[in-house]
Amino acid sequence: MIRISSQQVFSSGINRLQELNSNLNSTQQQISTGKRVNKPSDDPVAAARILKLDQELSRVSTYERNVDLADNRLSQEENALESSIDILQRIRELTVQAGNGSLSANDRQSISSEIEERLGQLANIGNTRDASGEYIFSGFQGSVQAFQQNEEGSYVYQGDEGQRVLEIDDGVTVPISDNGKGIFVNIPAAATGEYTTNVSGGFISGVSVVNEADLNAAFSGGFPGDIALTVDAAGIIQAQDSQGNALAVTPATYESGEPFVVAGVEATIADITPGAGDSFTLKPNERQSVFGTIENLIAGLESIDKGTPEGLAEYDDLIAQSLVNLDNAQESILLKQTELGGRMNAVESTRNFLADSSVYTNEIRSQLQDVDYAEAISNLSFQSFVLQAAQQSFAQVSQLSLFDRL
């Protein structure tokens, strides 16, 4: 026969009531917070998995912010390039209009004035800033204005050639900027010709690449370089590359004002004396700044005198070369827009992947942590009933004592 003291009765009853009350409070907390696991002791295994899932969601959230930043920067650059295309197209239209031989000097001045306004607009686009105030076309030097006018009034690139990249997922990076030098400055230019030694006072004009394959074949060892031209006493045009190698000229005999072709480049020489020592240089592979092209166009429209054969040839060359340079600039920007489109597609794909990953992780986390309200409320009702019954039972048992029989 086991003897149970009054103290044991009271201690056992109180402990049981505390246990039941603790369970009831835990269930109430689950219902109020909506979480099945509020502390590690509720479910140690689930708590460890929830911690890892929280870390994964934090990682995804960080990359999603990076994706938004990348998308904003790329969209801003795309809009800037689209605006620059529109401006260059308008300048090209004005250049074609300026090529009309019936225009007066005042007409050319009016065209020049509008082109100058468009030049200022293009410079403003080149100096576009992002939301943080940094210049998007300055490379790594975001605090430096990309294009500034020097003492002569010409726009000069002031940034560097850096390209910023941003990590948008583990091991996945995307460039979010492009330097202005690669977009607006380092652009293929139209072939040009210039006097190297001026003895007779003639001129060279009509320079253009008419056969790209012949030009590349003549310089098979590398990029096309400069071509030196002279006319000997017999009236034969002599051509050499930068290494001193002779190049074939067709036709080889000099005729003033008549075009000839060397290494796929066509040119015209006029008003020189054969054998006098005049020399010229053809430049088929130069680079241009679109700002420089427009500035030269403006200066030429305002200053070239079309009243002489040399002036007329110079003006025609200005228009022809400006059109080629403007077309090359537009093509350069269009290629950059295509590249931007690829980057934006990559950013969008990563955004979708991160969103799917976030949804999947949240689902698993919810299964581990979130409470089943129907089950919790049922448990709460049952625990309340058990606690109430235990309290009533304890109240009766606590009154059973020998002292009540005395």
Side-chain angles (χ1 to χ4, degrees), residues 288-404:
Q288 57 136 343
S289 162
V290 66
F291 294 99
T293 292
I294 299 172
E295 288 162 355
N296 290 337
L297 176 60
I298 293 171
L301 291 175
E302 295 177 351
S303 64
I304 294 178
D305 181 9
K306 297 174 61 178
T308 64
E310 181 178 358
L312 180 59
E314 182 183 2
Y315 186 84
D316 290 342
D317 283 348
L318 172 70
I319 299 299
Q321 292 170 6
S322 296
L323 290 174
V324 172
N325 289 345
L326 290 170
D327 288 342
N328 289 344
Q330 290 187 52
E331 182 178 357
S332 174
I333 295 174
L334 287 173
L335 289 174
K336 183 58 66 176
Q337 284 184 304
T338 302
E339 183 181 332
L340 283 176
R343 294 185 212 164
M344 295 178 73
N345 288 337
V347 169
E348 186 62 27
S349 297
T350 303
R351 185 200 299 277
N352 294 335
F353 173 78
L354 291 174
D356 292 341
S357 178
S358 179
V359 170
Y360 175 72
T361 303
N362 273 307
E363 286 180 353
I364 298 177
R365 184 175 180 274
S366 176
Q367 292 173 5
L368 293 171
Q369 187 175 51
D370 293 349
V371 69
D372 183 340
Y373 280 100
E375 180 182 0
I377 292 174
S378 176
N379 288 338
L380 182 66
S381 298
F382 178 73
Q383 289 167 349
S384 298
F385 170 76
V386 171
L387 178 61
Q388 185 178 9
Q391 288 171 338
Q392 293 175 352
S393 174
F394 179 72
Q396 294 180 2
V397 172
S398 65
Q399 296 177 1
L400 297 179
S401 170
L402 291 176
F403 293 101
D404 294 334

Side-chain angles (χ1 to χ4, degrees), residues 168-191:
I168 56 176
D169 198 1
D170 289 338
V172 180
T173 59
V174 61
I176 60 170
S177 71
D178 294 283
N179 64 80
K181 184 174 183 180
I183 299 175
F184 299 104
V185 178
N186 196 21
I187 304 172

Side-chain angles (χ1 to χ4, degrees), residues 194-199 229-231 277-281:
E194 61 183 30
Y195 239 126
T196 307
T197 304
N198 189 340
V199 177
L229 299 176
T230 58
V231 180
D278 298 275
S279 62
F280 304 87
T281 301

Side-chain angles (χ1 to χ4, degrees), residues 69 73 76 124 126-146 164:
L69 174 60
R73 286 293 298 264
Q76 185 176 26
N124 288 335
N127 290 323
T128 299
R129 299 189 187 193
D130 62 13
S132 61
E134 292 193 330
Y135 295 95
I136 67 174
F137 293 117
S138 291
F140 293 137
Q141 302 185 45
S143 60
V144 177
Q145 185 173 322
R164 301 187 183 191

